[in-house]
Amino acid sequence: MMRLALAGARAIVDMSYARHFLDFQGSAIPRAMQKLVVTRLSPNFREAVTLRRDCPVPLPGDGDLLVRNRFVGINASDINYSAGRYDPSVKIPFDVGFEGVGEVVALGLSASAKYSVGQAVAYMAPGSFAEYTVVPARMAIPVPSVKPEYLTLLVSGTTAYISLKELGGLSEGRKVLVTAAAGGTGQFAVQLAKKAKCHVIGTCSSDEKAAFLKSLGCDRPINYNAEQVGAILQQEYPRGVDVVYESVGGAMFDVAVKALAIKGRLIVIGFLSGYQTPTGLLPVKAETLPATLLKKSASIQGFFLNHYLPEYQAAMDHLLKMYSGGELVCEVDLGHLSAEGRFIGLESVFRAVDYMYTRKNTGKIVVELPHSVNSKL
């Protein structure tokens, strides 16, 4: 038996009737939907992922929500996931996408104790690159409205907040270097470090991004296409930087390690530059790393959000409060400046992933999934 609430009504129905109920009683929910599915393990997202157009709309269980996605977020780790790097035992086909914002269109009876049809929610759960996603109610976060800005906090904002809080040791006057500072996660690292009264240095790829970083309070933006990052750090920060928030990897990682101050800390949240390679990595100067760390009493620590889920809800609550109070900028890049324009529809997820790896985005890359023309909700 299955408990299902739809459009304000509650019913106890078997699975076969539930499908009929969704199709005809709730005419705003179609029989079929589109979604992206990993059909081949590959670091090339376009090779790994297939857009399937005639998938059954899933049914929520007793404690679940059925969410019609309106905005979905693009993450560098989408490629690691589609390449099978996070879980080598995973079997294809499997759904892809980590985060979404949308409306509840159906829900199980237990879930209806806290949620209702039409409510706006954000969530971090697998399978968001779909028109509809079943989300366990315990993993959903109520939000005031369906806005892409809320989506920026789910992975990017919480990653910056928890990693800096748990590992950064931020305090007034400390020098903090943020690589890829104008990106989805970097924008939050800059703002949070400034709120801790640190001196913030941020790397980026254009003068326009440098201006954006200044608007966030970044003290020294460095456009690496116009200035040499290593030389600038050596000249302007001869005593080194206290904290590095690093997401690029490869040569940038080597520059960051060299720039560490005595007792400096480097937090690895990713290594974007290598994700599209067969191994997912670009070479770094690992042979000199032990000596470099020893001479500086420095440290390097990785951060993976899934290992800090007990802190997740408190982080989201804090970030939502900051945003609603006007204390936090949540920059969204919907692709207006991309070659083919705004990212609209699941088919544009492929373009959005490509766009991210050209490093042209400012803020979090988001894809809009417009309402179906047949929707009545």
Side-chain angles (χ1 to χ4, degrees):
M1 298 292 284
M2 174 186 176
R3 296 164 180 258
L4 180 73
L6 178 67
R10 295 183 180 182
I12 300 175
V13 293
D14 63 26
M15 291 296 287
S16 60
Y17 182 72
R19 170 59 58 194
H20 177 83
F21 189 80
L22 281 171
D23 287 342
F24 301 106
Q25 290 293 105
S27 56
I29 304 175
R31 178 184 296 275
M33 69 171 189
Q34 298 184 75
K35 69 175 179 176
L36 295 184
V37 178
V38 175
T39 52
R40 171 187 171 189
L41 299 182
S42 170
N44 183 322
F45 191 81
R46 288 181 180 270
E47 290 182 357
V49 177
T50 300
L51 174 60
R52 291 188 170 169
R53 300 183 182 274
D54 194 25
C55 302
V57 174
L59 291 169
D62 185 59
D64 298 332
L65 311 175
L66 179 63
V67 177
R68 179 168 56 202
N69 294 312
R70 293 290 305 283
F71 297 97
V72 295
I74 305 298
N75 293 283
S77 49
D78 289 326
I79 280 184
N80 281 338
Y81 193 55
S82 64
R85 291 174 183 146
Y86 286 156
D87 182 5
S89 67
V90 70
K91 303 297 183 185
I92 55 173
F94 57 89
D95 297 344
V96 67
F98 293 122
E99 54 187 346
V101 172
E103 304 103 347
V104 176
V105 294
L107 66 166
L109 190 60
S110 295
S112 68
K114 184 177 179 182
Y115 293 93
S116 59
V117 168
Q119 186 170 358
V121 294
Y123 67 89
M124 181 181 70
S128 69
F129 291 166
E131 291 179 315
Y132 295 85
T133 302
V134 168
V135 179
R138 58 184 171 78
M139 299 177 69
I141 298 164
V143 291
S145 61
V146 178
K147 288 176 60 177
E149 285 78 7
Y150 294 118
L151 193 149
T152 69
L153 303 176
L154 292 167
V155 174
S156 299
T158 56
T159 293
Y161 179 83
I162 299 172
S163 63
L164 289 173
K165 181 175 180 286
E166 297 290 326
L167 309 178
L170 301 184
S171 60
E172 184 173 357
R174 292 209 151 202
K175 295 177 177 61
V176 178
L177 170 64
V178 180
T179 63
T185 305
Q187 64 171 325
F188 294 112
V190 169
Q191 293 178 79
L192 294 169
K194 284 305 298 178
K195 290 187 182 301
K197 299 183 179 179
C198 297
H199 178 95
V200 180
I201 309 142
T203 69
C204 62
S205 61
S206 69
D207 289 340
E208 291 77 15
K209 290 186 181 184
F212 169 65
L213 291 177
K214 285 184 178 179
S215 75
L216 298 181
C218 183
D219 299 284
R220 181 51 164 106
I222 304 174
N223 173 2
Y224 57 75
N225 285 320
E227 300 179 284
Q228 189 177 2
V229 177
I232 293 296
L233 293 173
Q234 192 170 8
Q235 293 164 14
E236 300 183 17
Y237 303 93
R239 297 174 67 88
V241 295
D242 302 295
V243 180
V244 179
Y245 185 85
E246 219 292 279
S247 62
V248 176
M252 185 64 78
F253 174 86
D254 291 332
V255 168
V257 168
K258 186 176 180 180
L260 283 171
I262 300 299
K263 298 183 181 179
R265 306 179 183 196
L266 190 150
I267 305 168
V268 176
I269 64 131
F271 30 93
L272 174 67
S273 61
Y275 286 173
Q276 291 179 299
T277 67
T279 63
L281 298 165
L282 287 182
V284 297
K285 296 178 181 177
E287 67 276 4
T288 62
L289 196 54
T292 300
L293 298 178
L294 178 63
K295 286 189 292 186
K296 296 182 177 183
S297 293
S299 64
I300 297 176
Q301 189 162 349
F303 177 89
F304 187 48
L305 183 59
N306 285 3
H307 298 151
Y308 289 83
L309 292 182
E311 289 79 33
Y312 184 82
Q313 188 61 56
M316 272 300 298
D317 291 344
H318 184 80
L319 292 168
L320 284 167
K321 185 177 179 180
M322 289 179 69
Y323 176 64
S324 64
E327 300 178 60
L328 198 65
V329 173
C330 297
E331 186 71 13
V332 171
D333 191 329
L334 283 157
H336 295 91
L337 300 179
S338 68
E340 296 176 52
R342 189 179 172 105
F343 303 130
I344 299 179
L346 283 172
E347 61 276 5
S348 69
V349 168
F350 298 98
R351 286 200 299 119
V353 170
D354 291 343
Y355 179 70
M356 174 177 54
Y357 281 94
T358 64
R359 304 186 191 182
K360 293 181 179 179
N361 62 294
T362 299
K364 175 81 174 184
I365 301 176
V366 174
V367 173
E368 181 179 2
L369 305 184
H371 277 162
S372 166
V373 294
N374 296 320
S375 175
K376 296 181 182 178
L377 256 177

